[in-house]
Amino acid sequence: MTDETVAVIIPAYNAGNYLRRAVESVFATGYPLTEVVIVDDGSTDDTGEIAQALRMQSGGECRLVRHSDQGNHGVSASRNLGINVTNSQWVAFLDADDYFLPNRFDSLRQVNSEHESSPD
């Protein structure tokens, strides 16, 4: 069995001061099949520019999406938009002003390891 993919959905509204730390914490978990989806929720600060820079730096592991009208729709609508643009098996939510600890996906690694070692 192959490792399970994880999409980390990060709704971001005026989160320019925090977004880089949040995204870097996702990649610091070391989980190999992780996609970060930043949903810029109509920010009026530099969130969009920072998200674009993170997308460019990630080598395709980070995506930036916006609501079709570029407006502010709130955290629930932004999470739903993020879910709608991913095909990952698992979804994790992370607020833009928060971060993951390095062991965030250890239990998923454990499950993957158990599946690989079990006979089919």
Side-chain angles (χ1 to χ4, degrees):
M1 177 176 190
T2 60
D3 288 342
E4 302 288 328
T5 58
V6 176
V8 179
I9 311 298
I10 304 176
Y13 176 73
N14 290 345
N17 291 334
Y18 310 103
L19 188 58
R20 181 171 298 281
R21 180 179 185 196
V23 171
E24 288 174 352
S25 78
V26 174
F27 294 124
T29 66
Y31 192 77
L33 299 172
T34 304
E35 171 189 33
V36 173
V37 180
I38 301 168
V39 182
D40 183 359
D41 190 23
S43 296
T44 58
D45 68 352
D46 59 350
T47 296
E49 292 82 16
I50 292 169
Q52 184 68 12
L54 290 165
R55 185 188 71 77
M56 298 296 286
Q57 294 168 3
S58 75
E61 296 175 333
C62 187
R63 299 173 63 187
L64 170 61
V65 297
R66 293 182 171 99
H67 297 281
S68 60
D69 66 357
Q70 307 289 311
N72 177 260
H73 293 265
V75 69
S76 297
S78 296
R79 285 178 177 159
N80 287 335
L81 177 59
I83 291 168
N84 288 335
V85 300
T86 186
N87 292 318
S88 293
Q89 289 97 341
W90 293 94
V91 172
F93 297 120
L94 178 62
D95 292 334
D97 63 348
D98 205 352
Y99 59 93
F100 284 158
L101 295 175
N103 65 347
R104 172 65 173 92
F105 297 117
D106 284 358
S107 59
L108 189 54
R109 282 188 182 93
Q110 177 80 25
V111 169
N112 287 334
S113 175
E114 289 171 3
H115 283 304
E116 288 176 3
S117 64
S118 67
D120 289 331

